[in-house]
Amino acid sequence: MTLTDIGPTTDPAVLSTAQQALATADALAAELAAGSAERERSGASLLPQLRQVAESGLLSVVVPAEHGGPGLSAAVKVEVLRRLSRGDSAVGQLLLSHFVIGQAISGLGRQQPAPRIYADILAGAQLGNASAERGTQTGLDRHTTVTPRGDGTWVLNGTKYYATGALGAKWIAVAAVVAGREGETATVFIQPDQDGVTLDLEQWSAFGQRGTASGEVSSCTQYVEDIARARAAAGDDAPELVKLRQYFDHPLLVEMFSDAIAAAAATLPAELRDEARLIFTAHSVPIAADERHGPRLYSRQVGYATRLVAEAAGYRDFDQVWQSRSGPPQIPWLEPDVADHLTALGEKGTRAVIVCPIGFVADHIEVVWDLDYELRLQAEQAGIAFARASTPNADPRFARLATGLIEELRTGAAPLRVVGQDPVAGYGFSVNGELCSPHCCGTPS
């Protein structure tokens, strides 16, 4: 057993019908849901949960009948994955590659490696992926190569990133180009413990949310790197590309969130509205990332936006917390976590909360799942009335905000900012991938 393999399993259950597969998925989802929130908070390994899936026989639902599997329809396979994800979304994400690749290789019929891989799946093996690379122009570009040798074997050479589905996998599908054959691609199946293969799932980067209003390690630096790379590829005819300035203190952003808080409060029972605790939440980052561009730049920007919005909404008392941390548990991230904070409020007797996702400009998965589902469920179980303020989404004011930033750039007009107590620096426009400030994206201080 490797550090990333689910290891040997007992004989997996045999599922031969759609009804058996769906019933098994429902039962297992209920088990997975029991500890999913705590596993997410603690960063616990999901290998035990992946082993449960393997032993349940659900991995084999991708195997066609001609290879000894149940031969289920694609619709049933998708439904099995959906139900498992309902129990623990992280498990569903890890298994997505298994279901996609398991379906894809069915087109090989009896041609290798399909028979060998399907036989392993029936014995409890999981499939993973390794496709994404850095420094490519599109998602289909590849630097990884596979080169034929004279003895009929091949040499695979390259590095992949974000191979989430590789955790627990016995076989990993690696996308590559065939060296010396222009335009020809290949999918190579490898095993994590093969000689020459290194799978480092501790090596990860803090992902900034591309939709945030504040500067953060990826949401800022990654933009300017991508712009510079794209212009270099386009050559002398490359157009001028501009990254708009940060807008965490823009009057329209403050106004939209303030109005959203009022609308959320109105959904609470009338007798609880005045006592509801206002909680602002933003995406957590590693503390090292928060310090990278100056003393706590990201957390201070979020805190400043929080104070501006709270004042505009008429709240003197409020809380600032964080959410959606990931990565190894030994790496410290910004705290407190929103779920832990809600637990503490419940223990103090809080009867109602209004949650404002100040760090997000759209209702994506980390809002609708982490807050609308998981946090709301936690609140209901604790007897706490729950209301969530909307993000800007398609609010016309958000479009006006964006066009206003463009107009500032075009005319040289002074930036529109709300001035509050202890203002925080916000960095400006970046042209053609240049750094907007040496303190923001340059050498860490």
Side-chain angles (χ1 to χ4, degrees):
M1 178 178 177
T2 68
L3 290 176
T4 59
D5 190 350
I6 58 175
T9 61
T10 58
D11 291 336
V14 178
L15 306 174
S16 57
T17 68
Q19 291 77 10
Q20 287 178 325
L22 296 176
T24 301
D26 283 336
L28 184 53
E31 294 183 36
L32 295 175
S36 62
E38 180 56 34
R39 289 193 296 272
E40 177 67 21
R41 283 195 291 269
S42 66
S45 170
L46 292 176
L47 289 176
Q49 286 69 43
L50 294 174
R51 185 193 294 263
Q52 281 183 273
V53 178
E55 293 179 346
S56 74
L58 287 174
L59 294 181
S60 67
V61 301
V62 302
V63 181
E66 67 174 317
H67 291 278
L72 302 179
S73 68
V76 172
K77 298 171 191 176
V78 170
E79 183 61 19
V80 166
L81 182 60
R82 190 187 72 83
R83 296 187 185 193
L84 288 175
S85 300
R86 189 170 57 196
D88 189 328
S89 59
V91 171
Q93 182 183 8
L94 287 169
L95 291 176
L96 176 61
S97 294
H98 176 87
F99 281 77
V100 171
I101 298 167
Q103 176 72 18
I105 63 174
S106 64
L108 295 174
R110 302 296 303 177
Q111 181 182 348
Q112 290 290 355
R116 179 179 179 185
I117 291 175
Y118 281 137
D120 283 345
I121 293 174
L122 291 171
Q126 176 191 320
L127 306 183
N129 79 298
S131 297
E133 298 185 6
R134 292 175 178 168
T136 55
Q137 296 301 312
T138 74
L140 297 177
D141 289 344
R142 301 283 181 259
H143 294 317
T144 299
T145 61
V146 58
T147 306
R149 294 195 291 199
D151 60 359
T153 60
W154 299 72
V155 177
L156 181 67
N157 185 32
T159 302
K160 298 291 186 176
Y161 297 88
Y162 322 127
T164 306
L167 179 67
K170 178 180 178 64
W171 288 103
I172 300 174
V174 181
V177 294
V178 180
R181 301 181 188 176
E182 185 174 357
E184 186 173 345
T185 61
T187 298
V188 181
F189 285 87
I190 62 173
Q191 295 181 312
D193 53 2
Q194 277 184 245
D195 289 341
V197 175
T198 300
L199 185 60
D200 186 1
L201 296 180
E202 293 290 309
Q203 185 66 33
W204 60 283
S205 298
F207 282 89
Q209 300 307 301
R210 292 263 176 133
T212 58
S214 306
E216 195 261 320
V217 58
S218 181
S219 59
C220 189
T221 309
Q222 190 64 55
Y223 271 136
V224 296
E225 290 177 355
D226 288 347
I227 289 171
R229 187 180 300 115
R231 295 192 79 253
D236 295 338
D237 295 329
E240 181 175 85
L241 298 175
V242 180
K243 171 185 171 291
L244 297 177
R245 73 167 175 87
Q246 296 167 1
Y247 52 92
F248 59 90
D249 53 0
H250 195 285
L252 288 175
L253 191 74
V254 173
E255 181 181 295
M256 284 184 285
F257 273 118
S258 172
D259 289 350
I261 289 171
T267 66
L268 291 170
E271 67 275 13
L272 296 178
R273 291 172 192 167
D274 291 341
E275 67 179 81
R277 188 69 182 177
L278 178 59
I279 305 171
F280 291 91
T281 179
H283 202 294
S284 185
V285 298
I287 291 175
D290 191 34
E291 298 284 353
R292 179 179 177 184
H293 307 310
R296 300 185 301 106
L297 176 63
Y298 169 68
S299 59
R300 286 189 296 117
Q301 287 178 335
V302 172
Y304 185 58
T306 292
R307 295 193 298 274
L308 295 178
V309 171
E311 182 177 356
Y315 287 80
R316 291 186 177 183
D317 296 321
F318 53 89
D319 302 318
Q320 166 65 63
V321 298
W322 308 93
Q323 68 175 86
S324 307
R325 73 148 290 158
S326 59
Q330 64 269 26
I331 296 179
W333 284 52
L334 295 175
E335 293 180 335
D337 176 79
V338 64
D340 294 338
H341 185 66
L342 184 64
T343 297
L345 289 178
E347 292 172 350
K348 294 178 181 178
T350 298
R351 299 196 300 163
V353 295
I354 303 168
V355 178
C356 177
I358 189 72
F360 305 90
V361 296
D363 288 353
H364 57 66
I365 190 64
E366 287 174 312
V367 175
V368 299
W369 179 262
D370 293 11
L371 302 181
D372 291 351
Y373 177 72
E374 290 190 327
L375 196 67
R376 184 184 296 273
L377 180 61
Q378 179 183 340
E380 291 175 354
Q381 292 173 341
I384 300 174
F386 182 94
R388 199 265 291 174
S390 175
T391 58
N393 288 314
D395 191 314
R397 289 174 292 183
F398 194 45
R400 285 166 44 203
L401 184 157
T403 57
L405 296 182
I406 296 172
E407 194 67 9
E408 287 179 12
L409 176 67
R410 189 181 69 83
T411 65
L416 288 177
R417 300 185 186 279
V418 179
V419 179
Q421 186 176 1
D422 300 323
V424 181
Y427 293 108
F429 303 101
S430 168
V431 180
N432 293 339
E434 294 296 323
L435 302 180
C436 56
S437 165
H439 302 293
C440 181
C441 300
T443 304
S445 58

